[in-house]
Amino acid sequence: MSPVFKDLANAIRFLSIDAVQKANSGHPGLPMGMADVATVLFKYYLRFNPKNPSWQNRDRFILSAGHGSMLLYSLLYLTGYKSISIKDIQNFRKLNSICAGHPEYEENTGIETTTGPLGQGLSNSVGMAIAEEIMKKKFGSSLINHKTYVIASDGDFMEGISHEAMSFAGHLKLKNLIVFFDNNKISIDGSTKLSVSDNYRKRFESYGWSFQEINGHDEKQISKAIKKSLNSKKPNLISCKTIIGYGSPNKAGKSSAHGAALGESEVKLVRKKLKWKHDPFEIPKEILHEWKKIGERGMLEEKKWKKIYNKKNQKIKDEFTRLIKNKLPKNFDILIKKQKKKFFDLKPNIASRQSSASVLEEITNSLPELIGGSADLSGSNNTNTKHSIIINSSNFKGNYIHYGVREHAMAGIMNGMALHKGIIPYGGTFLVFLDYCKPSLRLSALMGLKVIYIFSHDSIGLGEDGPTHQPIEHLAHLRSIPNLNVFRPADTIETLECWELALKSNDIPSVIALSRQKIPFVTETLTQKNMSSFGGYEIRKNIPNPEVTLISSGSEVKIAIEAFEKLKDLKINSKVVSMPCQELFNKQSQDYREIILEKNSIKISIEASSVHGWEKYVGTEGASLGMKSFGKSAPIKDLYEHFKLTSNNVVELTKKMLGK
Ligand SMILES: Cc1ncc(C[n+]2csc(CCOP(=O)(O)OP(=O)(O)O)c2C)c(N)n1
């Protein structure tokens, strides 16, 4: 007998139940509850090719409720992705298994993004849907025309980021976005009645979404709702009324189905109830065959697409491939070189946020993949240029996004755009508002995405706005995140170099911290080398073996240089190291680091930020000038004096340390 719909859905349920049972940890409730929705989606609608998970025009499928990861792994295994074998499923949650506790993004596996922190997947999906619209405008709907599907849970929609991201998706009328809400009314603490009374229809309709509500266990209703969404002019929310832990006699509909193995005896009862007679991890041939057929449908889809692609002229194909493969244009290095010379000749004394704008001004037209934006601080972050064309619901042919005051969604959306491919996103806010987007930034780093964060107003140097706006601990915090480059350039040349490095870092996100205040041009010699690529380098030195090494970054390099000059007058030999990127400096050879840090000198760091972390460069005998408290509201000059971030103080400290 050929398998019926319920057999297909039950294959997901039992793979999930058995994997969680074997691991003795995980979340069986969601896969059991959403198996029917997922089966309809994959069987009839989702366009994907398990033989080529990276096919660029595939529909994207995001499991935002990442705790239900076994749903995704089951689907990938059943439809024939090479990335996930039955052994991998048996190794769910074991060391190095692709079937990790929560889905972890890996290219070419079918795992489109890392989810688990609730709400993130939703914001990623908005980024993917935006990217789809942008790429469609660039290359035409014959090459790019796909949907972005999401499964999200109660928890996803309770998170603040979902409000930001869904609101923005409605604003942009992202019609190709289809979100299934696993509306099971259960979260960890019990009924969602404990904590939420939102009217979801009103909520989503007010965002400008289309809203449908269905029985999430009824094949026909699910299918009809998806069909309707396909022709929608708005983003789509399909609220699926489901039962968490569907099929479990004692745990269905209860939070006990959420986050722990069902237990051997309950698993037996589910088998009985759902009439599943097969052993753990055994999927009957006919059912597996039926699932594989679903996977094969996508091969034909891609073949058709490939024919269309092949007929495009070579220039279009080359550009398409360049963008997807994340390669910079051939003339990029020449562009940077020319710009460097121009900046060097000009020697501008400007805020580094303005330097960043000058860099963007020059490169934007040559990099159509660069999609900028700001969380309502464009004029302050200097993220827009005269070449910026605003993206809005009726024009995706632009290169600039006004995210509104939505820092968290902005970061999650940038992750989604980078994951989609074809786009290098950069977005701005004040450094202090890192606090409002950090969870997504952390995921940029965890996934290794080329996302560029422009954080201006990077110290007390912003002045009168006061301690609420003055970042203190933020640089130290950012520097503690693995796989993230934190740049803090000292002048226009370093700003250009840091941008170059960020654009060339394909698997590591970058933060470029920029000053609000004017800073002097400090580069003395023009070199073809990207000096910032060393992370730290000598920017001033008069004789070998100086007694003192002053290490600094960004706007404080000028203080270090002033101190260097004053020390020279006092016949104290020092040198200045500009350290625009600690992460890159840490990667240099030990020899290089020792030469730069001048092993036998005393060391002083100067940065208008938390001193935390500088001890590893200045050592136990060294000193760090920086911030040990919150800032204050005052004009910048008074603040630097008040917090003793002055060259005179550096000189005094040096004399004291040298006993002079
Ligand atoms: C940002 C974030 N906070 C908390 C958690 C821990 N957590 C995992 S699932 C969950 C809620 C579960 O409820 P729901 O989202 O409705 O999922 P369901 O129980 O229906 O599977 C929580 C709080 C998380 N994963 N992410």
Side-chain angles (χ1 to χ4, degrees):
M1 220 170 58
S2 68
V4 294
F5 173 76
K6 282 287 172 196
D7 294 325
L8 299 181
N10 284 341
I12 299 174
R13 287 194 175 97
F14 283 97
L15 282 173
S16 304
I17 293 170
D18 291 330
V20 173
Q21 190 59 41
K22 181 158 186 274
N24 199 21
S25 94
H27 301 75
L30 184 147
M32 293 166 80
M34 285 301 277
D36 297 316
V37 171
T39 302
V40 174
L41 174 64
F42 275 65
K43 185 166 174 6
Y44 302 111
Y45 297 99
L46 196 78
R47 294 190 310 158
F48 65 107
N49 180 6
K51 298 283 172 283
N52 180 15
S54 303
W55 169 35
Q56 189 55 31
N57 198 35
R58 68 193 182 280
D59 288 338
R60 306 302 196 267
F61 173 68
I62 294 59
L63 181 64
S64 188
H67 58 275
S69 55
M70 268 312 306
L71 177 86
L72 178 61
Y73 304 146
S74 304
L75 287 160
L76 297 180
Y77 162 65
L78 290 166
T79 52
Y81 281 78
K82 259 208 209 111
S83 49
I84 294 189
S85 66
I86 194 73
K87 267 223 170 83
D88 294 318
I89 288 191
Q90 288 166 344
N91 283 331
F92 176 51
R93 291 189 160 230
K94 297 271 169 4
L95 188 67
N96 294 330
S97 170
I98 182 159
C99 298
H102 294 84
E104 291 176 22
Y105 166 67
E106 210 180 305
E107 214 176 326
N108 216 28
T109 59
I111 302 172
E112 300 278 11
T113 179
T114 295
T115 53
L118 290 164
Q120 294 296 333
L122 275 171
S123 64
N124 299 161
S125 71
V126 174
M128 291 181 190
I130 295 173
E132 190 258 348
E133 293 282 5
I134 293 172
M135 292 292 277
K136 185 158 58 195
K137 269 280 170 289
K138 277 198 179 113
F139 293 100
S141 55
S142 58
L143 280 193
I144 293 291
N145 183 3
H146 68 79
K147 303 281 172 191
T148 301
Y149 293 98
V150 188
I151 286 181
S153 64
D154 291 294
D156 278 302
F157 289 119
M158 286 188 225
E159 285 294 348
I161 191 172
S162 78
H163 293 260
E164 294 180 19
M166 304 293 89
S167 154
F168 196 50
H171 176 71
L172 287 183
K173 298 191 172 65
L174 299 173
K175 57 187 183 303
N176 286 333
L177 181 59
I178 300 172
V179 179
F180 301 99
F181 171 20
D182 179 21
N183 189 352
N184 61 23
K185 298 195 162 46
I186 290 289
S187 67
I188 292 180
D189 280 359
S191 162
T192 53
K193 275 195 190 134
L194 289 168
S195 53
V196 67
S197 324
D198 296 359
N199 178 324
Y200 284 97
R201 178 181 291 278
K202 283 189 179 163
R203 176 179 164 189
F204 278 87
E205 285 179 351
S206 79
Y207 290 152
W209 284 55
S210 140
F211 182 93
Q212 303 179 66
E213 189 150 77
I214 57 163
N215 174 350
H217 299 296
D218 181 320
E219 181 185 2
K220 283 206 178 107
Q221 283 191 35
I222 302 165
S223 186
K224 208 170 136 196
I226 300 177
K227 207 178 219 167
K228 193 170 163 203
S229 296
L230 294 179
N231 298 313
S232 166
K233 299 260 178 294
K234 303 170 179 177
N236 302 277
L237 191 93
I238 304 176
S239 163
C240 309
K241 288 188 172 168
T242 60
I243 298 168
I244 190 168
Y246 178 96
S248 167
N250 296 302
K251 299 198 171 175
K254 296 182 186 158
S255 61
S256 53
H258 165 86
L262 294 178
E264 295 292 354
S265 57
E266 189 67 14
V267 172
K268 273 191 194 138
L269 294 178
V270 189
R271 282 196 146 71
K272 205 163 157 200
K273 179 152 178 140
L274 296 182
K275 301 191 175 63
W276 188 262
K277 300 198 179 77
H278 320 291
D279 285 341
F281 306 107
E282 182 201 330
I283 304 295
K285 251 199 214 138
E286 312 76 55
I287 296 180
L288 198 56
H289 179 70
E290 199 63 23
W291 266 115
K292 292 264 151 50
K293 261 180 25 198
I294 294 170
E296 279 157 16
R297 197 191 63 223
M299 283 165 62
L300 300 176
E301 297 264 14
E302 189 186 349
K303 249 189 195 159
K304 272 195 263 171
W305 179 87
K306 195 89 209 200
K307 263 191 194 158
I308 297 167
Y309 173 83
N310 285 337
K311 280 189 195 140
K312 299 281 173 192
N313 78 41
Q314 198 55 42
K315 224 172 135 191
I316 293 176
K317 282 193 278 196
D318 287 348
E319 182 66 355
F320 188 79
T321 314
R322 184 182 78 74
L323 295 195
I324 301 308
K325 298 237 178 277
N326 225 337
K327 293 208 164 114
L328 293 168
K330 282 200 184 93
N331 65 350
F332 183 74
D333 287 340
I334 297 169
L335 195 75
I336 297 288
K337 208 165 130 183
K338 268 194 192 156
Q339 200 49 36
K340 205 170 189 179
K341 167 93 174 64
K342 202 162 136 190
F343 284 156
F344 189 78
D345 292 343
L346 275 172
K347 299 191 175 25
N349 296 317
I350 52 177
S352 52
R353 62 187 171 126
Q354 282 171 320
S355 298
S356 169
S358 307
V359 174
L360 284 168
E361 206 78 55
E362 295 300 325
I363 61 174
T364 296
N365 278 348
S366 304
L367 289 180
E369 63 269 46
L370 205 52
I371 302 291
S374 167
D376 203 42
L377 288 169
S378 297
S380 302
N381 307 143
N382 297 68
T383 34
N384 55 357
T385 72
K386 62 174 184 279
H387 309 297
S388 296
I389 300 164
I390 295 166
I391 285 172
N392 60 39
S393 62
S394 51
N395 179 24
F396 283 91
K397 218 173 177 166
N399 58 6
Y400 197 80
I401 300 176
H402 288 284
Y403 288 99
V405 194
R406 299 185 183 95
E407 296 85 1
H408 200 173
M410 173 174 77
I413 288 170
M414 290 201 290
N415 284 344
M417 289 197 283
L419 286 161
H420 181 276
K421 298 209 183 295
I423 285 171
I424 305 173
Y426 71 90
T429 184
F430 291 157
L431 177 56
V432 79
F433 299 136
L434 156 68
D435 297 345
Y436 276 63
C437 60
K438 191 257 168 180
S440 305
L441 183 149
R442 182 174 192 268
L443 287 170
S444 312
L446 184 58
M447 289 191 266
L449 302 177
K450 193 201 274 190
V451 173
I452 302 172
Y453 292 87
I454 300 301
F455 289 149
S456 72
H457 296 56
D458 70 350
S459 75
I460 52 162
L462 63 88
E464 292 84 345
D465 270 345
T468 55
H469 283 52
Q470 292 162 346
I472 300 294
E473 71 281 22
H474 299 75
L475 288 171
H477 182 169
L478 285 165
R479 288 169 182 151
S480 74
I481 298 175
N483 199 42
L484 175 71
N485 283 337
V486 184
F487 296 103
R488 191 166 184 256
D491 69 1
T492 311
I493 293 287
E494 280 194 15
T495 308
L496 175 72
E497 289 179 341
C498 293
W499 259 107
E500 180 187 8
L501 293 164
L503 288 165
K504 286 183 170 171
S505 303
N506 272 2
D507 46 18
I508 175 162
S510 302
V511 163
I512 308 184
L514 300 167
S515 74
R516 170 185 186 256
Q517 73 274 28
K518 253 192 199 177
I519 47 179
F521 188 84
V522 289
T523 303
E524 278 191 329
T525 40
L526 177 67
T527 73
Q528 294 309 325
K529 268 193 217 156
N530 183 322
M531 295 309 290
S532 302
S533 71
F534 298 99
Y537 65 97
E538 288 165 348
I539 196 162
R540 292 288 186 282
K541 187 175 182 178
N542 47 4
I543 60 156
N545 307 318
E547 291 172 274
V548 190
T549 302
L550 306 173
I551 317 160
S552 188
S553 86
S555 45
E556 285 70 65
V557 171
K558 85 166 187 158
I559 298 175
I561 292 174
E562 276 168 20
F564 164 85
E565 299 294 348
K566 288 179 182 171
L567 289 169
K568 202 159 46 173
D569 293 345
L570 296 171
K571 308 259 179 304
I572 298 174
N573 290 313
S574 67
K575 77 171 194 181
V576 180
V577 172
S578 176
M579 197 177 278
C581 183
Q582 294 188 357
E583 295 74 20
L584 293 181
F585 184 72
N586 297 344
K587 284 184 185 160
Q588 304 306 314
S589 68
Q590 192 175 345
D591 278 359
Y592 179 84
R593 281 179 286 135
E594 281 181 3
I595 291 168
I596 294 300
L597 292 180
E598 218 62 63
K599 218 174 165 189
N600 298 320
S601 70
I602 61 153
K603 290 172 260 296
I604 300 174
S605 71
I606 309 140
E607 189 175 63
S609 186
S610 166
V611 293
H612 188 93
W614 280 102
E615 56 280 359
K616 66 173 173 280
Y617 304 112
V618 299
T620 47
E621 306 301 310
S624 289
L625 292 183
M627 298 295 293
K628 291 180 181 154
S629 67
F630 290 114
K632 272 181 175 296
S633 168
I636 172 174
K637 193 169 172 300
D638 298 345
L639 286 171
Y640 273 77
E641 297 266 337
H642 178 81
F643 290 108
K644 298 196 163 37
L645 286 161
T646 60
S647 54
N648 285 342
N649 193 35
V650 177
V651 171
E652 286 314 307
L653 186 65
T654 307
K655 287 198 313 197
K656 206 164 127 194
M657 288 169 81
L658 291 175
K660 291 192 178 174

